[in-house]
Amino acid sequence: MRRRIGSRTTRTLLAVLAGAVATIALVSGAFAQETTEDPDADEVVVVTGGLLVPEGSTVGSSVIFNGPVRIAGTVDGTLVVFNGGVEITGTVREDVVAFNGRVVVRSGAEVGGDIVSRRPPVIEPGATVQGESHGFAWRFDAGDWFVGRLVWWVGYSVSTLLLGMLLLVFAPRLDAAVDEARKSRTGAVFGFGALVFFLLPIAAVALLVTIVGIPLGLFLLLALALIDTVGYVVGVHVFGRMIVKPPKSRNVAFLAGWGIARAVALVPVLGGLAWTVGSILGLGALWVAARRARDDATAPLPAVPPPPPSPTPA
């Protein structure tokens, strides 16, 4: 009988995903670009093409990103498929997880753990599934969604407030630098900000598809949240300076921009758009201000005129 996904399966799924990422990062198996038919292999990672485990062959835990999967032999671990159908006529000793594709367990096949899939699995009579069959379908609860969104809003608001105040304390010259960058080079601010905001995720994904770049790609993906949040905080400050003009306190300017931005963040869709624009504005202002500071530091010092000659005594 199909039941709603529970805490046990949630933990299993999280463990599977963590294991998949670790497997990719360590490149402990075969990093394939086409259908894999390697008998008695260790952990297998297939980017595209699919996986075929022939009858009588055994592989370890396997992760397939794109392609059909047919298990006639044995998977001595967990099978994770992101995009592709799964047909099992042999044995999978632990869980089967399929994000986009149907799982078919033929008569006589065996799965030692759970089957977690977006589409309902097909389990023929005579097949053995030791665990449970679950779907990625959670009941929508408007109350829970609102509470979760409110908790996130409060947490992010407090975090950005603290980060902004720390920047004002430890980088007091940042106020004038980013405000001047916005006023003197508005186009460059938004242009460079958009480049940083959109190109960094693309670069991270590009690194993930190369073996040597996987660790750096993972680190960059993890750092994106902090980078974009710093950009958002600086963008909020720049916006606040547009309202609270100098020489009024930079703290008042930041609080004004932060208060308006966090109020807008409560509005669905508009809040996300405002966050994106704020991050682009802040990242661009930081970029332009940093380049200007570097250019000023490397500019040659003005020539000092020689002292006037001493008057000749009469």
Side-chain angles (χ1 to χ4, degrees):
M1 181 178 66
R2 226 172 143 240
R3 292 181 288 180
R4 193 171 303 278
I5 187 168
S7 58
R8 176 179 177 272
T9 304
T10 302
R11 291 194 298 270
T12 300
L13 179 58
L14 292 175
V16 167
L17 292 176
V21 172
T23 302
I24 297 173
L26 296 175
V27 198
S28 58
F31 198 82
Q33 295 290 336
E34 55 188 18
T35 302
T36 299
E37 303 182 44
D38 182 17
D40 304 318
D42 292 329
E43 287 78 4
V44 175
V45 178
V46 179
V47 175
T48 182
L51 173 67
L52 170 62
V53 180
E55 186 176 355
S57 300
T58 301
V59 299
S61 295
S62 303
V63 180
I64 296 86
F65 285 90
N66 183 55
V69 176
R70 185 173 182 271
I71 308 298
T74 300
V75 175
D76 192 16
T78 296
L79 176 64
V80 180
V81 182
F82 286 90
N83 182 47
V86 180
E87 182 182 8
I88 303 172
T89 58
T91 301
V92 177
R93 299 199 185 278
E94 297 182 9
D95 297 334
V96 175
V97 180
F99 290 89
N100 184 34
R102 188 179 297 277
V103 177
V104 179
V105 185
R106 301 296 185 187
S107 178
E110 181 178 355
V111 176
D114 295 343
I115 297 178
V116 184
S117 60
R118 186 177 65 84
R119 302 173 63 182
V122 176
I123 303 175
E124 294 184 350
T128 302
V129 178
Q130 301 289 347
E132 302 173 351
S133 298
H134 302 290
F136 291 119
W138 285 272
R139 182 175 57 190
F140 178 77
D141 190 319
D144 291 345
W145 175 85
F146 177 78
V147 172
R149 181 177 174 82
L150 182 61
V151 170
W152 171 259
W153 179 86
V154 171
Y156 198 76
S157 297
V158 173
S159 299
T160 51
L161 176 62
L162 293 176
L163 179 59
M165 298 307 293
L166 287 174
L167 287 176
L168 292 175
V169 171
F170 292 103
R173 297 183 180 180
L174 185 65
D175 170 56
V178 295
D179 185 51
E180 179 61 27
R182 191 269 310 171
K183 289 187 293 186
S184 62
R185 301 192 62 190
T186 304
V189 164
F190 280 99
F192 284 119
L195 284 176
V196 174
F197 185 83
F198 291 110
L199 287 185
L200 281 182
I202 296 175
V205 173
L207 287 170
L208 288 177
V209 301
T210 64
I211 295 178
V212 295
I214 286 174
L216 180 58
L218 290 174
F219 295 150
L220 183 55
L221 283 177
L222 292 174
L224 282 177
L226 177 59
I227 294 172
D228 291 342
T229 297
V230 171
Y232 175 75
V233 169
V234 175
V236 163
H237 181 78
V238 172
F239 176 69
R241 259 305 176 209
M242 296 169 63
I243 300 172
V244 182
K245 306 291 184 181
K248 292 186 178 179
S249 169
R250 60 180 184 272
N251 297 320
V252 175
F254 169 72
L255 290 175
W258 175 84
I260 295 173
R262 297 317 298 158
V264 173
L266 288 171
V267 182
V269 181
L270 182 59
L273 179 61
W275 181 87
T276 301
V277 173
S279 297
I280 291 174
L281 174 62
L283 291 172
L286 285 172
W287 181 286
V288 172
R291 287 177 61 89
R292 175 170 294 174
R294 186 194 64 181
D295 293 342
D296 291 344
T298 56
L301 296 175
V304 178
S310 302
T312 303

